[in-house]
């Protein structure tokens, strides 16, 4: 009991650190690339994000491992099932809860406010305009009337949601679709509404994803030879993938913003196939050198995520510019590649690939120096 209490405390502290770091990085304090400013109004801070979702998933998974798993010896399939069936039941229960809420909650008509700019006699002014979204439905999985957004608006508040959701890149909301852009004529009002892709209800399925990862890890621990591990992983991946498409046939789309059940199943299945492939190449036939970059990246995943994915490092670099903020190393390099390839998309793709290689090498340098950032 003392060991479980200590482990619980350790998991809670780590989850809290991750959550707080996520709020700092993705709560609006850092304004990102192309904006040499920082700071956030606490009345509009975003409470949830990627790291916060990871923190919640990690904590739930850790609590289940600490308190729901018995100490029975596993030497055959039956003891394996007995050891972990409570965890599997918990994952199924969370999934049922998600489906019940998504299809059972009534989404009434709702309002949100946007700030509009007006200019009279060359004097700029801002005003608040209220938009009404017509819903009055249950079970909608579309952008304006889904239960995922409802739960976040009620529990978190409209001001604390993500202001640039992926819906703003759809044809209904952007003339530059699939990229962000100006609104097309007669765009629906919901194009301007906030929506959090890492919201509370969708995080339930992200938690279930953690249980899928636990299953693959349990197989690694208890199966002592390569063939057993690979066979079980293959069967699990096939079941997850087929189940994803069966749920699709029942009418639930693949949706990352809603983190639908079949999205969770598909990503779990595809991840299982990739794990199987990499395990065979690296651990079975021992071809390791081509994948050393991934190893370095994994050893310092948190620092790479903070500096690269959260755009902290590019933002710092852009702070040094020549005469005009646009003349900085980051933007000039991207523009140069776009000019070389005579395409904005291909140039941006090459720029992103170079970024990935850069951060792999940076992680390798940190590894050689024995520097690792962890919480």
């Amino acid at each position: 009991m003392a060991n479980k209490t200590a482990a619980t405390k350790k998991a809670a502290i780590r989850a809290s650190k991750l959550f707080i770091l996520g709020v700092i990085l993705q709560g609006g304090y850092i304004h990102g690339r192309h904006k040499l400013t920082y700071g956030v109004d606490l009345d509009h801070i975003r409470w949830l994000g990627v790291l916060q979702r990871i923190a919640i998933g990690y904590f739930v998974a850790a609590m289940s491992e600490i308190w729901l798993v018995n100490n029975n010896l596993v030497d055959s399939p039956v003891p394996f099932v007995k050891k972990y069936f409570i965890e599997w039941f918990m994952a199924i229960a969370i999934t049922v809860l998600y489906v019940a809420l998504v299809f059972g909650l009534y989404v009434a008509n709702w309002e949100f406010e946007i700030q509009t700019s007006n200019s009279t006699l060359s004097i700029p002014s801002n005003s608040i305009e209220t938009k009404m979204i017509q819903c009055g439905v249950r079970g909608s999985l579309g952008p304006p009337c889904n239960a995922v957004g409802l739960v976040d608006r009620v529990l978190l508040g409209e001001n604390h949601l993500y202001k640039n959701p992926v819906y703003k890149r759809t044809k209904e909301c952007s003339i530059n679709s699939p990229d962000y852009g100006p609104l097309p004529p007669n765009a629906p009002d919901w194009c301007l509404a906030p929506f959090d892709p890492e919201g509370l209800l969708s995080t339930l399925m992200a938690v279930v994803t953690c249980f899928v990862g636990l299953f693959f890890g349990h197989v690694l621990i208890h199966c002592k030879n390569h063939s057993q591990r690979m066979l079980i992983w293959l069967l699990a991946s096939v079941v997850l993938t087929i189940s994803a498409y069966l749920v699709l046939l029942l009418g639930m789309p693949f949706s990352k913003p809603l983190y639908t059940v079949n999205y969770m199943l598909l990503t779990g299945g595809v991840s299982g196939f990739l794990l199987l492939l990499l395990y065979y190449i690296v651990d079975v036939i021992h071809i390791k050198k081509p994948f050393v970059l991934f190893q370095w990246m994994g050893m310092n995943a948190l620092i790479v995520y903070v500096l690269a994915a959260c755009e902290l490092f590019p933002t710092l670099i852009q702070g040094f510019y020549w005469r005009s903020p646009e003349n900085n190393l980051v933007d000039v390099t991207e523009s140069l590649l776009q000019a070389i390839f005579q395409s904005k998309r291909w140039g941006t793709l090459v720029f992103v690939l170079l970024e990935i290689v850069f951060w792999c090498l940076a992680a390798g340098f940190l590894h050689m120096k024995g520097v690792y950032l962890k919480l």
Side-chain angles (χ1 to χ4, degrees), residues 33-34 318 325-336:
R33 286 181 59 180
H34 310 299
Q318 285 183 320
E326 293 77 20
N327 298 327
N328 61 78
L329 181 62
V330 178
D331 289 343
V332 169
T333 302
E334 187 172 2
S335 298
L336 178 62

Side-chain angles (χ1 to χ4, degrees), residues 43-182:
D43 193 42
H44 291 81
I45 192 170
R46 182 188 176 203
W47 293 117
L48 297 178
V50 175
L51 286 179
Q52 297 93 308
R53 171 171 282 181
I54 292 174
I56 295 171
Y58 161 76
F59 183 73
V60 175
M63 291 303 97
S64 68
E65 279 290 289
I66 295 170
W67 296 101
L68 301 182
V69 176
N70 59 56
N71 295 322
N72 296 342
L73 178 67
V74 174
D75 53 7
S76 66
V78 174
F80 182 84
V81 173
K82 289 182 177 180
K83 188 177 183 70
Y84 297 112
F85 83 93
I86 298 180
E87 279 191 344
W88 302 348
F89 176 80
M90 186 174 178
I92 294 172
I94 293 173
T95 303
V96 171
L97 175 62
Y98 170 87
V99 173
L101 292 175
V102 164
F103 289 102
L105 286 178
Y106 177 77
V107 182
N109 299 340
W110 57 281
E111 299 177 346
F112 68 97
E113 295 180 343
I114 60 171
Q115 191 174 58
T116 58
S117 298
N118 298 311
S119 180
T120 304
L121 299 176
S122 301
I123 301 176
S125 62
N126 295 322
S127 61
I128 302 297
E129 183 178 351
T130 300
K131 298 285 187 180
M132 170 67 75
I133 305 298
Q134 301 292 330
C135 291
V137 296
R138 297 182 194 272
S140 173
L141 298 177
C145 299
N146 59 73
V148 174
L150 169 66
V151 170
D152 290 335
R153 290 191 300 272
V154 171
L155 298 182
L156 299 177
E158 171 199 323
N159 289 343
H160 300 290
L161 304 184
Y162 188 48
K163 301 300 188 293
N164 291 297
V166 70
Y167 293 139
K168 291 190 176 182
R169 299 168 56 179
T170 60
K171 292 181 180 179
E172 294 90 341
C173 301
S174 172
I175 62 175
N176 296 333
S177 182
D179 201 354
Y180 292 105

Side-chain angles (χ1 to χ4, degrees), residues 219 222-234:
V219 172
H222 296 292
C223 296
K224 301 305 181 183
N225 62 70
H226 296 317
S227 59
Q228 284 184 340
R229 292 170 177 169
M230 294 175 64
L231 177 61
I232 297 175
W233 285 344
L234 177 62

